[in-house]
Amino acid sequence: MMTSQWRRLALCTQGLVSQHLFGAALPGTRSAIEHLGYVQIDTLAVVERAHHHVLWNRVPGYDPRHLNQLVGERHIFEYWFHAASYLPMRDYRYALPRMTSIRNGENRYFTHVDEHLMNEILARVRAEGALRVRDLDTGNREKGSWWNWGPGRRALDKLFMQGDLMVCERNGMEKVYDLTERCLPAGIDLRMPTLSEYAVYLFDTTLRAHGVVTWKQLLHLKTGKPLRDAMRAVLDERIDAGWVSALGNAGAPTAYVDSKVLEQAPVIDAGAVKVLSPFDNVVIHRDRLSTLFGFDYRLECYVAAPKRVFGYFCLPILYGDTFVGRIDCKAHRADRRFEVLSLNLEDGTLDRDQFFPALSDELQRLADFNKCPLLDAGGVVRGVTARQY
């Protein structure tokens, strides 16, 4: 099995090839999140936020309102995967170890939190129902206020992270909190997973979502020898049973693939273009992205302006099964204008007569999704002219 086949398998498994893998609209959105295991929540709004961008690229008829609806119907919930994310409600019990660790003071980010404030917030939510941060704010930001932004916000965050409160709705990026007991569906499994069960969950989630995985990816941002040992036991067991195949490739880490799909030869439209979010599930593991796709990517909004090479919010461009470049874009929502600031293509053979029209079509589609139908490429993208409204 050659690397090109691995790439195609990885992209197909991610739902970036077939528009029918997850279905459409609301059911498709739920199916996509359950298959992917998580969708990262993004606070940046240079273009449409990552959680919407990721799902829009995979689910025909996706609407940003679907996420609130699925939260309200208790099919998904907000918590932490490797970052703040939407997760399938069926996986709630696998968040319990982190919640317990935070409750026990084992996480350095949630120590020295005012217990009095936490109790006050809980009492208010219990008495008044779901509340926004602004509802909890008394308006007194002076030092010593019961809701000083620092202590108050830390108290609220810890209540969320240790599982006493859940986000029951979002209005834009404003979160609405309620008691966890009011947000969980009846009959949900609340048993604390064993270390072995947690390793199985991580393994199955990663393999299901990515098709081709590495050892480092299986433990992405997960630490501790006990978990490493448990994951190694799961991997060895799956290989011994013939369910997983270990594949070598010169100069690259061993890849692990579901044996049932190993012989599949996914068909990919070589002329298809997708502009992805910087937080898309397929690009978030940078080492794997570099090894499997030969694409070294860095989001430069976290880089000092003088050191940026490709732009503040450069988006990866996928062309067929190859990442061919980065495009820096910005949605000017008040003007309904989607601006292309720069385009940087990788070195290599590229059929530009085929690529540029496909890129132009995809950019217009992305502009429309951002509710900025005026595509302003500024001469950056060949053959694109601003569409007038």
Side-chain angles (χ1 to χ4, degrees):
M1 187 178 189
M2 304 301 292
T3 303
S4 60
Q5 290 175 280
W6 297 4
R7 291 198 300 265
R8 292 197 295 271
L9 177 59
L11 293 172
C12 287
T13 307
Q14 270 285 303
L16 285 170
V17 175
S18 171
Q19 286 287 296
H20 306 289
L21 181 62
F22 305 126
L26 184 68
T29 301
R30 176 184 175 182
S31 177
I33 295 172
E34 290 179 344
H35 177 86
L36 297 172
Y38 78 94
V39 171
Q40 184 171 336
I41 298 171
D42 179 20
T43 59
L44 299 173
V46 181
V47 300
E48 185 59 87
R49 290 185 171 91
H51 41 291
H52 298 311
H53 194 162
V54 167
L55 291 165
W56 168 78
N57 255 326
R58 291 164 169 80
V59 181
Y62 172 74
D63 188 301
R65 293 172 293 185
H66 289 157
L67 292 175
N68 262 348
Q69 187 171 344
L70 289 171
V71 169
E73 293 174 356
R74 304 179 182 183
H75 294 310
I76 64 174
F77 72 104
E78 286 193 30
Y79 196 62
W80 205 262
F81 193 72
H82 71 268
S85 303
Y86 286 103
L87 300 110
M89 186 64 79
R90 70 182 185 195
D91 293 338
Y92 182 83
R93 68 184 290 239
Y94 298 105
L96 295 177
R98 182 186 290 271
M99 292 177 182
T100 301
S101 173
I102 290 169
R103 185 183 299 278
N104 293 341
E106 298 168 7
N107 186 301
R108 64 189 177 92
Y109 295 109
F110 296 97
T111 55
H112 309 297
V113 179
D114 191 322
E115 295 286 340
H116 174 71
L117 275 179
M118 292 173 62
N119 291 332
E120 257 195 89
I121 293 170
L122 269 181
R124 182 148 178 207
V125 176
R126 184 170 288 110
E128 299 180 21
L131 294 173
R132 304 165 295 180
V133 171
R134 70 172 81 172
D135 297 322
L136 292 167
D137 189 352
T138 63
N140 181 1
R141 298 297 180 95
E142 295 179 2
K143 187 176 180 179
S145 163
W146 82 274
W147 181 256
N148 176 270
W149 177 252
R153 186 53 190 256
R154 286 197 296 273
L156 182 62
D157 285 347
K158 186 171 184 183
L159 286 169
F160 170 75
M161 289 299 294
Q162 71 182 27
D164 291 315
L165 295 178
M166 291 182 74
V167 175
C168 62
E169 183 183 357
R170 275 183 183 258
N171 299 311
M173 289 303 290
E174 181 183 50
K175 292 177 277 192
V176 183
Y177 293 90
D178 203 350
L179 298 177
T180 295
E181 61 207 56
R182 295 174 182 157
C183 298
L184 292 177
I188 190 170
D189 189 349
L190 295 176
R191 293 173 300 159
M192 178 69 71
T194 64
L195 190 61
S196 177
E197 288 174 328
Y198 186 67
V200 168
Y201 156 71
L202 289 178
F203 184 91
D204 289 346
T205 297
T206 307
L207 189 65
R208 181 186 66 242
H210 293 279
V212 179
V213 302
T214 63
W215 172 253
K216 188 172 183 179
Q217 187 184 10
L218 288 170
L219 289 168
H220 181 60
L221 297 181
K222 303 294 189 295
T223 60
K225 186 176 185 300
L227 181 57
R228 288 198 303 274
D229 291 345
M231 182 65 77
R232 176 58 66 185
V234 172
L235 178 60
D236 290 345
E237 178 184 307
R238 298 294 175 88
I239 292 173
D240 290 345
W243 297 345
V244 170
S245 298
L247 307 174
N249 194 46
T254 301
Y256 302 100
V257 184
D258 185 335
S259 299
K260 291 183 296 184
V261 300
L262 185 57
E263 301 306 320
Q264 293 181 7
V267 177
I268 290 182
D269 180 356
V273 172
K274 281 189 178 293
V275 177
L276 302 182
S277 165
F279 302 100
D280 195 283
N281 298 51
V282 82
V283 303
I284 204 66
H285 302 277
R286 307 298 197 221
D287 289 345
R288 175 180 180 269
L289 182 68
S290 177
T291 300
L292 185 57
F293 291 94
F295 187 62
D296 294 315
Y297 175 71
R298 186 182 188 187
L299 178 58
E300 296 187 340
C301 64
Y302 304 119
V303 177
K307 296 183 178 180
R308 290 179 194 142
V309 177
F310 300 110
Y312 180 83
F313 206 69
C314 53
L315 311 175
I317 304 171
L318 181 64
Y319 184 44
D321 65 356
T322 305
F323 284 91
V324 297
R326 304 156 181 82
I327 190 162
D328 191 23
C329 301
K330 181 175 176 61
H332 300 274
R333 294 172 179 86
D335 301 331
R336 303 182 72 217
R337 179 171 63 93
F338 193 82
E339 183 180 13
V340 177
L341 300 167
S342 68
L343 171 65
N344 290 273
L345 298 177
E346 299 283 275
D347 295 331
T349 303
L350 186 68
D351 184 346
R352 296 188 172 222
D353 289 337
Q354 183 180 24
F355 171 73
F356 278 106
L359 176 61
S360 299
D361 290 345
E362 182 65 8
L363 286 173
Q364 186 63 65
R365 197 172 76 91
L366 181 59
D368 291 340
F369 179 63
N370 278 265
K371 297 182 173 58
C372 296
L374 178 59
L375 176 59
D376 179 8
V380 174
V381 180
R382 192 176 74 181
V384 174
T385 57
R387 198 167 86 185
Q388 300 297 327
Y389 285 84

